[in-house]
Coordinates of all heavy atoms in Angstrom, one line a residue:
R213 N 104.1 82.8 95.9 CA 105.4 83.4 95.8 C 106.4 82.6 94.9 O 107.4 83.2 94.4 CB 106.1 83.5 97.2 CG 105.3 84.5 98.1 CD 106.0 84.6 99.4 NE 105.3 85.6 100.3 CZ 104.2 85.3 101.0 NH1 103.7 84.1 101.0 NH2 103.7 86.3 101.8
H214 N 106.1 81.4 94.5 CA 107.0 80.6 93.8 C 106.4 79.9 92.6 O 107.0 78.9 92.1 CB 107.7 79.6 94.7 CG 108.3 80.1 95.9 ND1 109.5 80.9 95.9 CD2 107.9 80.2 97.2 CE1 109.8 81.3 97.1 NE2 108.8 80.9 97.9
S215 N 105.3 80.4 92.1 CA 104.6 79.8 91.0 C 104.5 80.8 89.8 O 105.4 81.6 89.7 CB 103.2 79.4 91.4 OG 103.2 78.4 92.4
G216 N 103.5 80.7 89.0 CA 103.4 81.6 87.9 C 104.6 81.6 86.9 O 105.2 80.5 86.7
L217 N 104.9 82.7 86.4 CA 106.0 82.8 85.4 C 107.3 82.4 86.1 O 108.2 81.8 85.5 CB 106.1 84.3 84.9 CG 105.0 84.7 83.9 CD1 105.0 86.2 83.7 CD2 105.1 84.0 82.6
L218 N 107.5 82.8 87.4 CA 108.7 82.4 88.1 C 108.8 80.9 88.2 O 109.9 80.3 88.0 CB 108.7 83.1 89.4 CG 109.9 82.7 90.3 CD1 111.2 83.1 89.7 CD2 109.8 83.4 91.7
G219 N 107.7 80.3 88.6 CA 107.7 78.8 88.8 C 108.0 78.1 87.5 O 108.7 77.1 87.4
L220 N 107.4 78.6 86.4 CA 107.6 78.0 85.1 C 109.0 78.1 84.5 O 109.5 77.2 83.9 CB 106.5 78.5 84.1 CG 105.1 78.1 84.3 CD1 104.2 79.0 83.5 CD2 104.9 76.6 83.9
S221 N 109.5 79.3 84.7 CA 110.8 79.6 84.0 C 112.0 79.2 84.9 O 113.1 78.9 84.4 CB 110.9 81.1 83.8 OG 111.0 81.9 85.0
G222 N 111.8 79.2 86.2 CA 112.8 79.0 87.2 C 113.8 80.1 87.3 O 114.8 80.0 88.1
T223 N 113.6 81.2 86.6 CA 114.6 82.3 86.7 C 114.0 83.7 87.0 O 114.5 84.5 87.7 CB 115.3 82.4 85.3 OG1 114.3 82.6 84.3 CG2 116.2 81.2 85.0
S224 N 112.7 83.9 86.5 CA 112.2 85.3 86.6 C 110.7 85.3 86.4 O 110.1 84.5 85.7 CB 112.8 86.2 85.6 OG 112.2 87.5 85.7
G225 N 110.0 86.2 87.2 CA 108.6 86.4 87.0 C 108.3 87.6 86.1 O 107.2 88.0 86.0
D226 N 109.3 88.2 85.5 CA 109.2 89.4 84.7 C 109.2 89.1 83.3 O 110.2 88.5 82.7 CB 110.4 90.3 85.1 CG 110.3 91.7 84.5 OD1 109.8 91.9 83.3 OD2 110.7 92.7 85.1
T227 N 108.2 89.4 82.6 CA 108.1 89.1 81.1 C 109.2 89.7 80.3 O 109.6 89.1 79.3 CB 106.7 89.5 80.6 OG1 106.5 90.9 80.8 CG2 105.6 88.7 81.2
R228 N 109.7 90.8 80.7 CA 110.8 91.4 79.9 C 112.0 90.5 80.0 O 112.7 90.3 78.9 CB 111.1 92.8 80.5 CG 110.0 93.8 80.3 CD 110.3 95.1 81.2 NE 110.3 94.8 82.6 CZ 110.4 95.7 83.5 NH1 110.5 97.0 83.2 NH2 110.4 95.4 84.8
D229 N 112.3 90.0 81.1 CA 113.5 89.0 81.2 C 113.2 87.8 80.4 O 114.1 87.3 79.7 CB 113.7 88.6 82.7 CG 114.1 89.7 83.6 OD1 114.6 90.7 83.1 OD2 113.9 89.6 84.8
L230 N 112.0 87.3 80.4 CA 111.6 86.1 79.7 C 111.6 86.2 78.2 O 112.0 85.3 77.5 CB 110.3 85.5 80.2 CG 110.2 85.2 81.7 CD1 108.8 84.8 82.1 CD2 111.3 84.2 82.1
V231 N 111.2 87.4 77.7 CA 111.2 87.6 76.3 C 112.7 87.6 75.8 O 113.0 87.0 74.7 CB 110.5 89.0 75.9 CG1 110.9 89.4 74.5 CG2 109.0 88.9 76.1
R232 N 113.6 88.2 76.6 CA 115.0 88.2 76.2 C 115.6 86.8 76.3 O 116.3 86.4 75.4 CB 115.8 89.2 77.1 CG 115.5 90.6 76.8 CD 116.5 91.5 77.6 NE 116.3 91.4 79.0 CZ 115.6 92.3 79.7 NH1 115.0 93.3 79.1 NH2 115.4 92.2 81.0
A233 N 115.2 86.1 77.3 CA 115.7 84.7 77.5 C 115.2 83.8 76.4 O 116.0 83.0 75.9 CB 115.4 84.2 78.9
R234 N 114.0 84.0 76.0 CA 113.4 83.1 74.9 C 114.2 83.4 73.6 O 114.5 82.4 72.9 CB 111.9 83.5 74.7 CG 111.3 82.7 73.6 CD 109.8 83.0 73.5 NE 109.5 84.4 73.1 CZ 108.3 84.9 73.0 NH1 107.3 84.1 73.2 NH2 108.2 86.2 72.7
A235 N 114.5 84.7 73.3 CA 115.2 85.0 72.1 C 116.6 84.4 72.1 O 117.2 84.1 71.0 CB 115.4 86.5 72.0
E236 N 117.1 84.1 73.3 CA 118.5 83.4 73.4 C 118.4 81.9 73.5 O 119.4 81.2 73.7 CB 119.2 83.9 74.6 CG 119.5 85.4 74.6 CD 119.9 86.0 75.9 OE1 120.0 85.3 76.9 OE2 120.2 87.2 75.9
G237 N 117.2 81.4 73.3 CA 117.0 79.9 73.2 C 116.6 79.2 74.5 O 116.7 78.0 74.6
D238 N 116.2 80.0 75.5 CA 115.8 79.4 76.8 C 114.4 78.7 76.7 O 113.4 79.4 76.5 CB 115.8 80.5 77.9 CG 115.5 80.0 79.3 OD1 114.8 79.0 79.4 OD2 116.1 80.6 80.2
A239 N 114.4 77.4 76.7 CA 113.2 76.7 76.5 C 112.2 76.9 77.6 O 111.0 76.9 77.4 CB 113.5 75.2 76.3
A240 N 112.7 77.0 78.9 CA 111.8 77.2 80.0 C 111.1 78.6 79.9 O 109.9 78.7 80.2 CB 112.6 77.1 81.3
A241 N 111.9 79.6 79.5 CA 111.3 80.9 79.3 C 110.2 80.9 78.2 O 109.2 81.5 78.3 CB 112.4 81.9 78.9
E242 N 110.5 80.1 77.1 CA 109.5 80.0 76.0 C 108.2 79.3 76.5 O 107.1 79.8 76.2 CB 110.1 79.1 74.9 CG 109.2 79.0 73.7 CD 109.9 78.2 72.6 OE1 111.0 77.7 72.8 OE2 109.2 78.1 71.5
L243 N 108.4 78.3 77.3 CA 107.2 77.6 77.9 C 106.4 78.5 78.8 O 105.2 78.6 78.8 CB 107.6 76.3 78.6 CG 106.5 75.6 79.4 CD1 105.4 75.1 78.4 CD2 107.0 74.5 80.2
A244 N 107.1 79.3 79.6 CA 106.5 80.2 80.6 C 105.7 81.2 79.8 O 104.5 81.5 80.2 CB 107.5 80.9 81.4
L245 N 106.2 81.8 78.8 CA 105.5 82.8 78.0 C 104.3 82.2 77.2 O 103.2 82.8 77.2 CB 106.4 83.6 77.0 CG 107.4 84.5 77.7 CD1 108.5 84.9 76.7 CD2 106.7 85.7 78.3
A246 N 104.5 81.0 76.7 CA 103.4 80.4 76.0 C 102.2 80.0 76.9 O 101.1 80.2 76.6 CB 103.9 79.1 75.3
T247 N 102.6 79.5 78.1 CA 101.6 79.2 79.1 C 100.8 80.5 79.5 O 99.6 80.5 79.7 CB 102.2 78.5 80.3 OG1 102.9 77.3 79.8 CG2 101.2 78.1 81.3
F248 N 101.6 81.5 79.8 CA 101.0 82.8 80.2 C 100.1 83.4 79.2 O 98.9 83.8 79.5 CB 102.1 83.8 80.5 CG 101.7 85.2 80.9 CD1 101.1 85.4 82.2 CD2 101.8 86.2 80.0 CE1 100.7 86.6 82.6 CE2 101.3 87.5 80.4 CZ 100.8 87.7 81.7
T249 N 100.5 83.4 77.9 CA 99.6 84.0 76.9 C 98.4 83.2 76.6 O 97.3 83.7 76.3 CB 100.4 84.3 75.6 OG1 101.1 83.1 75.2 CG2 101.5 85.4 75.8
L250 N 98.5 81.8 76.7 CA 97.4 81.0 76.6 C 96.4 81.2 77.7 O 95.2 81.3 77.5 CB 97.8 79.5 76.5 CG 96.6 78.5 76.5 CD1 95.7 78.7 75.3 CD2 97.2 77.1 76.6

Side-chain angles (χ1 to χ4, degrees):
R213 296 178 176 84
H214 305 288
S215 296
L217 289 167
L218 177 61
L220 287 164
S221 69
T223 55
S224 176
D226 190 322
T227 54
R228 294 169 297 186
D229 296 336
L230 298 179
V231 167
R232 287 191 292 266
R234 179 178 63 180
E236 296 168 0
D238 186 327
E242 182 177 6
L243 175 62
L245 287 168
T247 303
F248 178 73
T249 53
L250 174 59

